[in-house]
Amino acid sequence: MSSSTLSESEQEHLLDKLDVFKVQGRDKRGRTLLLIIAKHFPARLVSSEVLKKYLEEKIYPKLGEKPFSVVYVHTDVQRSENFPGFSLLRSVYDAIPVNVKNNLESVYFLHPGLQARLFLATFGRLFFNGGLYSKLKYVSRLEFLWDHVRRLEIEVPEFVHDHDEELEYRPMMDYGLESDHPRVYAEPPLMDPVSVYSMRCIA
């Protein structure tokens, strides 16, 4: 199925149903937050024109005329399923009204992954403008997001918490050096008190 098989109203209804975009909560400076759950975005089912219209009619008005920040959750995004491509993102960005662009203060990019980091480091300033690129802040863990965002005011999906916990076990996933395929973890073996005491003596 593709965007051509769904009517414009059906595509808009899908975006509503999946809660891809939410204006919810505030950051530590009191600015409104736009929460984007990228995994929920139906990239193959929604056209760029419908997405632009949806944002213009249903999201931008909720932001008002005041400064705001974006929390972009990149967790579990797959190129073949829910990533729209950088050309579409550039098209959407170019269509954002000037006043909305000017009011954007920060973009917190949660769980960016190696490929996203490399692309943005190489082409970010060219693909978007320098102003947006300078507002981009990579956030590798939820605990660091709470340094900037009021934790109790936004709803983060459970799969984001699960991924965050997995990264604690397998930190090399941050750098693309280990697959993010689910794995069962065993509890570390317990050491007896004598062994612990011996190790402390050696140290």
Side-chain angles (χ1 to χ4, degrees):
M1 186 180 292
S2 66
S3 61
S4 61
T5 65
L6 296 177
S7 68
E8 184 175 308
S9 61
E10 288 174 328
Q11 292 178 51
E12 292 178 0
H13 176 70
L14 189 58
L15 289 172
D16 272 332
K17 180 180 178 181
L18 295 176
D19 273 340
V20 182
F21 304 95
K22 289 184 180 179
V23 177
Q24 180 186 82
R26 292 169 295 168
D27 65 14
K28 291 291 183 70
R29 295 188 178 183
R31 298 175 296 212
T32 299
L33 289 177
L34 170 57
L35 178 64
I36 303 175
I37 308 297
K39 180 181 178 178
H40 291 171
F41 183 67
R44 303 295 172 257
L45 302 177
V46 175
S47 71
S48 61
E49 294 307 313
V50 168
L51 177 57
K52 292 177 198 175
K53 180 183 176 184
Y54 179 86
L55 293 172
E56 183 178 352
E57 295 181 353
K58 297 191 175 184
I59 302 300
Y60 300 151
K62 294 180 181 180
L63 297 173
E65 297 296 327
K66 296 180 180 180
F68 70 97
S69 296
V70 169
V71 174
Y72 171 78
V73 182
H74 193 67
T75 316
D76 287 351
V77 168
Q78 301 295 328
R79 186 178 184 87
S80 61
E81 297 177 17
N82 37 38
F83 182 66
F86 284 106
S87 59
L88 185 144
L89 291 177
R90 174 60 188 269
S91 174
V92 171
Y93 175 73
D94 288 342
I96 297 176
V98 173
N99 65 311
V100 176
K101 288 181 182 178
N102 291 339
N103 286 332
L104 175 59
E105 293 289 329
S106 301
V107 178
Y108 299 106
F109 196 128
L110 179 64
H111 295 155
L114 181 65
Q115 289 186 340
R117 285 176 182 267
L118 288 175
F119 180 89
L120 291 171
T122 307
F123 302 107
R125 290 181 178 84
L126 299 174
F127 206 81
F128 303 105
N129 62 34
L132 175 65
Y133 186 77
S134 66
K135 298 174 182 179
L136 185 64
K137 305 178 189 301
Y138 294 122
V139 183
S140 60
R141 299 287 193 281
L142 277 170
E143 65 178 295
F144 303 132
L145 180 64
W146 307 139
D147 292 338
H148 307 280
V149 171
R150 299 183 186 188
R151 181 173 186 169
L152 299 179
E153 295 189 8
I154 65 171
E155 298 176 14
V156 176
E158 191 63 31
F159 73 84
V160 180
H161 291 279
D162 292 342
H163 184 76
D164 214 62
E165 185 175 342
E166 188 177 14
L167 289 174
E168 291 301 317
Y169 285 96
R170 302 160 62 194
M172 298 310 288
M173 283 172 58
D174 276 334
Y175 307 100
L177 299 180
E178 188 176 352
S179 168
D180 59 357
H181 187 73
R183 182 181 298 179
V184 176
Y185 304 104
E187 291 291 331
L190 294 175
M191 298 183 67
D192 63 82
V194 175
S195 298
V196 173
Y197 179 80
S198 300
M199 291 179 68
R200 286 176 179 169
C201 290
I202 294 173

